[in-house]
Amino acid sequence: QVELVESGGDSVQAGGSLRLSCAASGFPYSTYCMGWFRQAPGKEREGVAVIGSDNITKYAESVKGRFTISQDNANKIMYLEINSLKPEDTAMYYCAADQFVYGSDYDCTPDITLVMDYRGKGTLVTISS
């Protein structure tokens, strides 16, 4: 049974930094796409970043340069580092994961996080100005 558990959300002031973590268990797939999406109050969900089993990363235009996604394969943890935090980054952040067949036309992009097979329950990030 796949389980994704996020942590690291906090209330911080604008300009600061946070590192979110996503611990994955029961995820045995060798070809996968994992990532983060967020949902701000009253707004639609937004995919922000993905990382593949090949370590290729992609970001939404709105977060490029401030967000960094990475993974620790040995410990099965995915991270999202957020720098220069802005009030508009306030949202619930979710990690998500998908597996796919090697050689298929699966497109690992931030938008795909919204429909991935597995997702966590989220961690809340609140930024004050």
Side-chain angles (χ1 to χ4, degrees):
Q1 177 176 337
V2 176
E3 186 176 23
L4 303 175
V5 180
E6 303 94 336
S7 61
D10 203 352
S11 296
V12 299
Q13 287 194 323
S17 298
L18 277 177
R19 188 174 78 161
L20 308 182
S21 300
C22 173
S25 61
F27 193 77
Y29 309 109
S30 58
T31 50
Y32 60 82
C33 177
M34 295 185 70
W36 296 87
F37 67 93
R38 64 184 179 182
Q39 187 161 27
K43 294 188 177 180
E44 293 187 356
R45 295 175 302 164
E46 176 190 23
V48 295
V50 289
I51 186 165
S53 46
D54 54 6
N55 271 325
I56 292 176
T57 59
K58 295 180 183 177
Y59 299 91
E61 286 296 324
S62 60
V63 304
K64 274 185 180 178
R66 295 194 303 119
F67 286 33
T68 303
I69 190 170
S70 60
Q71 61 185 343
D72 176 349
N73 289 325
N75 294 302
K76 297 186 178 181
I77 301 175
M78 178 177 62
Y79 300 101
L80 184 70
E81 184 158 351
I82 311 174
N83 296 312
S84 302
L85 282 157
K86 305 176 181 180
E88 51 262 44
D89 292 322
T90 294
M92 187 71 82
Y93 284 73
Y94 300 87
C95 72
D98 238 355
Q99 61 89 22
F100 60 92
V101 176
Y102 180 78
S104 69
D105 59 358
Y106 185 95
D107 192 11
C108 185
T109 63
D111 287 344
I112 206 77
T113 59
L114 306 184
V115 294
M116 283 181 170
D117 288 341
Y118 308 104
R119 64 180 59 177
K121 295 182 179 180
T123 187
L124 181 62
V125 172
T126 304
I127 311 302
S128 57
S129 57

